[in-house]
Amino acid sequence: PTNGELANTNTSIFSAVRPVTANGTGRITGIDDDTTYASEPGVSIASGDPRQYEYYNTITSTDFSTAFNTGVSNIFSAIANNSVANGGTSTFSGGEKVLALNGSYETISFTGSNKFQIYGRNLRIGHAGWDAAGAFPGDIMEVIWFKRTLTANEQSRVNSYLAVKNGVTLNENYLATNSNAVWDRTVNTGYNNNIFGIARDNITALHQKQSGRVNDAQKLVISTTGFADSNAANSAGLANDLQYLMAGDNGLKQTLTIPLTYTAGSNGTTNYRFESIWKAQNTGNVGTVTVAWPKGVKNLYLVQSPDAAFDGTDTFTPMVTEVTVNGVVYNTANVTLSNGQYFTFAGYMYAPGGVFSAAWYRADAANTLFSDAGTTNAIDASTVQQW
């Protein structure tokens, strides 16, 4: 193409990024007529905020109202839609932008002679010399450009693809390429925290065979039975197109907190379960999967229930098989998580006098710290206190 203006051109730009610097500044991607600036248009992080910037006909620099989440994956998109007179569908004389961060949307309208366009042929990713100049302060996993305005449905489908691939919780329904809701926030009200899943969707070249949420507090992993060091190394794929197994939790503590006694299992007795409860949405009959939790909870069981009221009559599956992935030892169980099913974890926790919420250091227990999570960790003898 010529190194000039594509007048009255609508654009839809999507990105999956992981900023590692709070309040950082730098370009995600952009196009320009030289090899330096990449801002006609450009999307960036600007002092921590998602930004779409354009300059040629007029200058429009627009920031999303909330900042990127630092240290985790984010999905940021910017849609530039001209007025009808300028080749778009907007009813505003100067067109409008729709910015979205992790499934939350904001629309900004313009008047007068403003119009959107592409000016130049030089696509840059990761660095620019103008407006939010410099290198992106973190990781850029994926960038997608469209030379048109996507519909709301199309925006959600692209967001969903990027979110499933990168473990991002969206503030909207997750849609497959056939527009079916594979995670419905209304159906799953109360369980819209830490959403993640595995999926196969051939049109979008998505085959996510193992996944976990990116938040530090979320340690749960769901995988096909080939759980391995990476998605590529996992040799057990999902069998059919449009299979999705998604899960979200109630946002409560992922530690042994709620009393739950179970004595009939082969992995020993339990006395508590996690306060956190997960709910599954299974589309396309995803069958047996591996559920994994980092080793450390005594007498660990996966507990499955048709409702959120767990008791000793629910299904307790011992998590005795250990699998080491990327240097982390996981307790695992192979189960089927049916559509609408609830699940949590149960185990056995010690406490002085049966009173919990304490840091308990015992010199008579091989310098071991017994924590609220029901985990045991070796500690240095110099820090041991005897209660």
PDB file of all heavy atoms in Angstrom, residues 122-138:
ATOM      1  N   ASN A 122       3.334   1.596   8.042  1.00  0.00           N
ATOM      2  CA  ASN A 122       4.312   1.008   8.944  1.00  0.00           C
ATOM      3  C   ASN A 122       3.641   0.569  10.241  1.00  0.00           C
ATOM      4  O   ASN A 122       3.250   1.393  11.065  1.00  0.00           O
ATOM      5  CB  ASN A 122       5.431   2.006   9.249  1.00  0.00           C
ATOM      6  CG  ASN A 122       6.214   2.376   8.010  1.00  0.00           C
ATOM      7  OD1 ASN A 122       6.860   1.529   7.399  1.00  0.00           O
ATOM      8  ND2 ASN A 122       6.129   3.644   7.603  1.00  0.00           N
ATOM      9  N   LEU A 123       3.463  -0.722  10.383  1.00  0.00           N
ATOM     10  CA  LEU A 123       2.872  -1.297  11.594  1.00  0.00           C
ATOM     11  C   LEU A 123       3.983  -1.575  12.600  1.00  0.00           C
ATOM     12  O   LEU A 123       4.983  -2.212  12.281  1.00  0.00           O
ATOM     13  CB  LEU A 123       2.140  -2.600  11.257  1.00  0.00           C
ATOM     14  CG  LEU A 123       1.644  -3.419  12.461  1.00  0.00           C
ATOM     15  CD1 LEU A 123       0.539  -2.664  13.188  1.00  0.00           C
ATOM     16  CD2 LEU A 123       1.150  -4.790  12.005  1.00  0.00           C
ATOM     17  N   ARG A 124       3.789  -1.085  13.798  1.00  0.00           N
ATOM     18  CA  ARG A 124       4.750  -1.334  14.870  1.00  0.00           C
ATOM     19  C   ARG A 124       4.039  -1.992  16.043  1.00  0.00           C
ATOM     20  O   ARG A 124       2.884  -1.682  16.341  1.00  0.00           O
ATOM     21  CB  ARG A 124       5.420  -0.042  15.343  1.00  0.00           C
ATOM     22  CG  ARG A 124       6.349   0.580  14.307  1.00  0.00           C
ATOM     23  CD  ARG A 124       6.981   1.859  14.822  1.00  0.00           C
ATOM     24  NE  ARG A 124       7.865   1.629  15.961  1.00  0.00           N
ATOM     25  CZ  ARG A 124       9.148   1.275  15.848  1.00  0.00           C
ATOM     26  NH1 ARG A 124       9.685   1.094  14.643  1.00  0.00           N
ATOM     27  NH2 ARG A 124       9.899   1.109  16.913  1.00  0.00           N
ATOM     28  N   ILE A 125       4.753  -2.875  16.716  1.00  0.00           N
ATOM     29  CA  ILE A 125       4.247  -3.534  17.919  1.00  0.00           C
ATOM     30  C   ILE A 125       5.304  -3.396  19.006  1.00  0.00           C
ATOM     31  O   ILE A 125       6.466  -3.773  18.797  1.00  0.00           O
ATOM     32  CB  ILE A 125       3.933  -5.020  17.667  1.00  0.00           C
ATOM     33  CG1 ILE A 125       2.810  -5.163  16.638  1.00  0.00           C
ATOM     34  CG2 ILE A 125       3.552  -5.734  18.965  1.00  0.00           C
ATOM     35  CD1 ILE A 125       2.525  -6.589  16.227  1.00  0.00           C
ATOM     36  N   GLY A 126       4.907  -2.817  20.130  1.00  0.00           N
ATOM     37  CA  GLY A 126       5.783  -2.815  21.300  1.00  0.00           C
ATOM     38  C   GLY A 126       6.600  -1.574  21.533  1.00  0.00           C
ATOM     39  O   GLY A 126       7.239  -1.451  22.581  1.00  0.00           O
ATOM     40  N   HIS A 127       6.589  -0.593  20.599  1.00  0.00           N
ATOM     41  CA  HIS A 127       7.395   0.610  20.805  1.00  0.00           C
ATOM     42  C   HIS A 127       6.904   1.722  19.890  1.00  0.00           C
ATOM     43  O   HIS A 127       6.452   1.473  18.780  1.00  0.00           O
ATOM     44  CB  HIS A 127       8.872   0.346  20.517  1.00  0.00           C
ATOM     45  CG  HIS A 127       9.775   1.494  20.910  1.00  0.00           C
ATOM     46  ND1 HIS A 127      10.036   2.559  20.067  1.00  0.00           N
ATOM     47  CD2 HIS A 127      10.461   1.735  22.059  1.00  0.00           C
ATOM     48  CE1 HIS A 127      10.843   3.420  20.672  1.00  0.00           C
ATOM     49  NE2 HIS A 127      11.118   2.940  21.880  1.00  0.00           N
ATOM     50  N   ALA A 128       6.997   2.960  20.366  1.00  0.00           N
ATOM     51  CA  ALA A 128       6.683   4.124  19.544  1.00  0.00           C
ATOM     52  C   ALA A 128       7.411   5.340  20.098  1.00  0.00           C
ATOM     53  O   ALA A 128       7.835   5.355  21.255  1.00  0.00           O
ATOM     54  CB  ALA A 128       5.182   4.383  19.510  1.00  0.00           C
ATOM     55  N   GLY A 129       7.528   6.379  19.263  1.00  0.00           N
ATOM     56  CA  GLY A 129       8.244   7.579  19.666  1.00  0.00           C
ATOM     57  C   GLY A 129       7.361   8.787  19.897  1.00  0.00           C
ATOM     58  O   GLY A 129       7.864   9.889  20.076  1.00  0.00           O
ATOM     59  N   TRP A 130       6.037   8.583  19.868  1.00  0.00           N
ATOM     60  CA  TRP A 130       5.131   9.726  20.012  1.00  0.00           C
ATOM     61  C   TRP A 130       3.916   9.322  20.825  1.00  0.00           C
ATOM     62  O   TRP A 130       3.338   8.273  20.597  1.00  0.00           O
ATOM     63  CB  TRP A 130       4.669  10.216  18.636  1.00  0.00           C
ATOM     64  CG  TRP A 130       3.749  11.389  18.699  1.00  0.00           C
ATOM     65  CD1 TRP A 130       2.388  11.372  18.617  1.00  0.00           C
ATOM     66  CD2 TRP A 130       4.123  12.747  18.874  1.00  0.00           C
ATOM     67  NE1 TRP A 130       1.875  12.639  18.740  1.00  0.00           N
ATOM     68  CE2 TRP A 130       2.935  13.506  18.894  1.00  0.00           C
ATOM     69  CE3 TRP A 130       5.355  13.401  19.035  1.00  0.00           C
ATOM     70  CZ2 TRP A 130       2.946  14.902  19.058  1.00  0.00           C
ATOM     71  CZ3 TRP A 130       5.354  14.781  19.190  1.00  0.00           C
ATOM     72  CH2 TRP A 130       4.159  15.514  19.195  1.00  0.00           C
ATOM     73  N   ASP A 131       3.535  10.175  21.767  1.00  0.00           N
ATOM     74  CA  ASP A 131       2.376   9.928  22.633  1.00  0.00           C
ATOM     75  C   ASP A 131       2.495   8.543  23.271  1.00  0.00           C
ATOM     76  O   ASP A 131       2.512   7.531  22.573  1.00  0.00           O
ATOM     77  CB  ASP A 131       1.055  10.005  21.865  1.00  0.00           C
ATOM     78  CG  ASP A 131      -0.135   9.769  22.791  1.00  0.00           C
ATOM     79  OD1 ASP A 131      -0.443  10.660  23.593  1.00  0.00           O
ATOM     80  OD2 ASP A 131      -0.707   8.668  22.727  1.00  0.00           O
ATOM     81  N   ALA A 132       2.589   8.475  24.598  1.00  0.00           N
ATOM     82  CA  ALA A 132       2.851   7.217  25.298  1.00  0.00           C
ATOM     83  C   ALA A 132       4.091   6.547  24.705  1.00  0.00           C
ATOM     84  O   ALA A 132       4.103   5.355  24.415  1.00  0.00           O
ATOM     85  CB  ALA A 132       1.651   6.279  25.243  1.00  0.00           C
ATOM     86  N   ALA A 133       5.118   7.361  24.497  1.00  0.00           N
ATOM     87  CA  ALA A 133       6.305   6.899  23.785  1.00  0.00           C
ATOM     88  C   ALA A 133       7.068   5.861  24.596  1.00  0.00           C
ATOM     89  O   ALA A 133       6.986   5.809  25.824  1.00  0.00           O
ATOM     90  CB  ALA A 133       7.221   8.080  23.479  1.00  0.00           C
ATOM     91  N   GLY A 134       7.821   5.041  23.874  1.00  0.00           N
ATOM     92  CA  GLY A 134       8.694   4.066  24.501  1.00  0.00           C
ATOM     93  C   GLY A 134       8.200   2.651  24.323  1.00  0.00           C
ATOM     94  O   GLY A 134       7.205   2.378  23.640  1.00  0.00           O
ATOM     95  N   ALA A 135       8.939   1.740  24.949  1.00  0.00           N
ATOM     96  CA  ALA A 135       8.609   0.314  24.865  1.00  0.00           C
ATOM     97  C   ALA A 135       7.482  -0.025  25.829  1.00  0.00           C
ATOM     98  O   ALA A 135       7.366   0.560  26.913  1.00  0.00           O
ATOM     99  CB  ALA A 135       9.842  -0.520  25.192  1.00  0.00           C
ATOM    100  N   PHE A 136       6.650  -0.973  25.428  1.00  0.00           N
ATOM    101  CA  PHE A 136       5.589  -1.432  26.325  1.00  0.00           C
ATOM    102  C   PHE A 136       6.209  -2.061  27.572  1.00  0.00           C
ATOM    103  O   PHE A 136       7.070  -2.947  27.460  1.00  0.00           O
ATOM    104  CB  PHE A 136       4.683  -2.446  25.626  1.00  0.00           C
ATOM    105  CG  PHE A 136       3.546  -2.911  26.495  1.00  0.00           C
ATOM    106  CD1 PHE A 136       2.436  -2.125  26.669  1.00  0.00           C
ATOM    107  CD2 PHE A 136       3.623  -4.129  27.166  1.00  0.00           C
ATOM    108  CE1 PHE A 136       1.388  -2.539  27.497  1.00  0.00           C
ATOM    109  CE2 PHE A 136       2.591  -4.544  27.986  1.00  0.00           C
ATOM    110  CZ  PHE A 136       1.472  -3.741  28.151  1.00  0.00           C
ATOM    111  N   PRO A 137       5.782  -1.670  28.774  1.00  0.00           N
ATOM    112  CA  PRO A 137       6.406  -2.149  30.007  1.00  0.00           C
ATOM    113  C   PRO A 137       5.838  -3.496  30.462  1.00  0.00           C
ATOM    114  O   PRO A 137       5.167  -3.603  31.498  1.00  0.00           O
ATOM    115  CB  PRO A 137       6.076  -1.046  31.014  1.00  0.00           C
ATOM    116  CG  PRO A 137       4.745  -0.527  30.546  1.00  0.00           C
ATOM    117  CD  PRO A 137       4.775  -0.620  29.044  1.00  0.00           C
ATOM    118  N   GLY A 138       6.107  -4.533  29.690  1.00  0.00           N
ATOM    119  CA  GLY A 138       5.590  -5.846  30.041  1.00  0.00           C
ATOM    120  C   GLY A 138       5.560  -6.750  28.826  1.00  0.00           C
ATOM    121  O   GLY A 138       6.388  -6.628  27.919  1.00  0.00           O
TER     122      GLY A 138
END
